[in-house]
Amino acid sequence: MKNFIVKNGPGFLVCLVIAAIAQGIARLAPAVGAALFAIGLGIVCGNTFLNKPCFDAGTKFSERNLLEYSIVLTGATLLLGDILALGLPGLGFIACQMGLTILAAYWIGRKLGFGKKFSLLMGAGNAVCGSSAIATVSPVIKAESKDKGISITVVNVTGTFMILALPLITGLVYGHESLRSSAMIGGITQSIGQVIAAAQLVGGEVVQTATIFKIIRIVFIVLVALAFSRMSVEKNDGPLFERGAGAAAGKVKAGVPWFIVGFFIFAAANTLHLVPAPVGAAAKAVSQQFEIIALAAIGMRVKFRDLAAEGPKALLYGLSVGGCQILFALALIALFW
């Protein structure tokens, strides 16, 4: 234990301090959210006065382990019965929107010259739940820290843009009608905090209903992770699906990652009212703190030279995927409602 603390303590404490500062700044700009500030501060600090080897072990621990714990605890705050609240049209809309988003993100990414893993991370982050989705599928496809950091940054920037853009679109197209506005905001916006922020700009019942749409997307992360585990991602020049690809990479043999199983078990327990309200509230608070600390760690491990090489193109990538998401949603909402 002493060796563990000595090895990981400095990096973890740095990430903890960055996370605390990010949350303090986020109170002044709640629409942006602490996640983006944590990553941004982590990138700045990790490339300047905190760019030291003694922090590497702790930032790696914070990045990997805390996000996994966060995913498990998030399950204790969800009710699987919420999936049924919007009926088959709601489920169909989310399934189609997510599928098209992942396909578009992968296709655009490959056309722009990005690798399979980065393109899939962008697809998961935009289609499901931003940082948490990227954290969930990263170990499934064995993504590198650099790809995780850049994809989370780009997805969060795209989500911040959506906070302002989607209320304008729903006002122009739907007159802020509750169901369709909620489907647009809850079906597109990247993180749950950004969903709530965008929905609050519309007001009324949109906040609650958009959150339900978002919960459905979060639950579907299990299916996305399973699908990603069957893909061949080690060779960028080969097909995405090959017979036996998952087994060859050692993913299928291992089954669903433990934290996805934990997420599902906790969500099922909460649905059966086996999780007391105080425990659920505590799980939500701890999960949020773990995620912010882990995002600070991811920022610390992203270097300016990587962003300089791929940043502008990556931002173009994110905005292109966001534009596709809006077009898909407009068409699917007209189809289902």
Side-chain angles (χ1 to χ4, degrees):
M1 178 61 70
K2 180 180 178 180
N3 291 335
F4 176 84
I5 293 174
V6 171
K7 180 180 179 181
N8 297 290
F12 171 77
L13 289 175
V14 164
C15 295
L16 180 64
V17 171
I18 292 175
I21 295 173
Q23 291 178 86
I25 298 174
R27 293 190 181 95
L28 302 176
V32 177
L36 188 58
F37 286 123
I39 294 173
L41 288 172
I43 291 173
V44 173
C45 295
N47 283 274
T48 54
F49 64 98
L50 294 181
N51 188 13
K52 300 178 180 179
C54 63
F55 299 124
D56 290 346
T59 56
K60 186 175 182 179
F61 166 81
S62 300
E63 173 193 358
R64 182 182 66 250
N65 296 74
L66 293 187
L67 273 177
E68 293 178 354
Y69 302 152
S70 175
I71 296 299
V72 174
L73 292 173
T74 299
T77 69
L78 299 177
L79 294 173
L80 298 183
D82 290 331
I83 298 176
L84 304 177
L86 299 174
L88 292 178
L91 290 175
F93 165 72
I94 290 299
C96 293
Q97 179 72 18
M98 288 177 61
L100 289 172
T101 297
I102 292 173
L103 290 173
Y106 182 79
W107 184 82
I108 294 172
R110 299 297 283 154
K111 290 296 182 181
L112 289 175
F114 292 103
K116 289 182 180 179
K117 293 182 180 181
F118 184 79
S119 300
L120 290 173
L121 290 179
M122 288 288 292
N126 285 284
V128 188
C129 51
S131 307
S132 298
I134 293 172
T136 300
V137 303
S138 291
V140 175
I141 62 175
K142 299 180 180 178
E144 297 180 359
S145 296
K146 181 188 73 172
D147 286 345
K148 286 188 287 184
I150 295 176
S151 61
I152 288 175
T153 302
V154 174
V155 166
N156 274 284
V157 170
T158 304
T160 302
F161 171 78
M162 293 294 186
I163 291 173
L164 301 176
L166 294 183
L168 293 175
I169 293 173
T170 57
L172 291 173
V173 180
Y174 306 126
H176 292 323
E177 186 270 327
S178 179
L179 178 60
R180 291 180 291 177
S181 296
S182 299
M184 172 74 74
I185 293 173
I188 293 179
T189 317
Q190 281 66 13
S191 76
I192 193 165
Q194 291 166 341
V195 167
I196 294 172
Q200 286 174 341
L201 294 179
V202 178
E205 299 178 358
V206 174
V207 176
Q208 180 179 354
T209 310
T211 302
I212 294 175
F213 275 105
K214 182 64 176 179
I215 288 173
I216 296 174
R217 291 166 64 192
I218 294 174
V219 173
F220 278 11
I221 185 57
V222 177
L223 300 179
V224 174
L226 285 172
F228 280 21
S229 73
R230 304 297 301 178
M231 296 178 181
S232 175
V233 296
E234 298 303 326
K235 296 181 180 179
N236 282 321
D237 56 350
L240 189 58
F241 287 95
E242 294 180 337
R243 179 171 297 183
K251 307 181 191 72
V252 175
K253 183 184 295 185
V256 180
W258 73 271
F259 51 90
I260 296 180
V261 175
F263 166 86
F264 188 78
I265 291 174
F266 271 53
N270 194 36
T271 301
L272 296 173
H273 305 290
L274 299 178
V275 179
V279 174
K284 181 177 181 179
V286 173
S287 174
Q288 290 174 339
Q289 292 304 312
F290 279 176
E291 181 171 340
I292 298 302
I293 295 170
L295 295 181
I298 289 174
M300 284 279 292
R301 298 176 66 81
V302 174
K303 303 305 177 183
F304 282 142
R305 60 178 178 270
D306 298 324
L307 291 174
E310 299 183 286
K313 187 167 65 172
L315 291 175
L316 172 63
Y317 183 10
L319 293 177
S320 298
V321 174
C324 289
Q325 286 182 282
I326 293 173
L327 294 176
F328 294 152
L330 289 170
L332 291 172
I333 289 171
L335 175 65
F336 285 100
W337 291 285

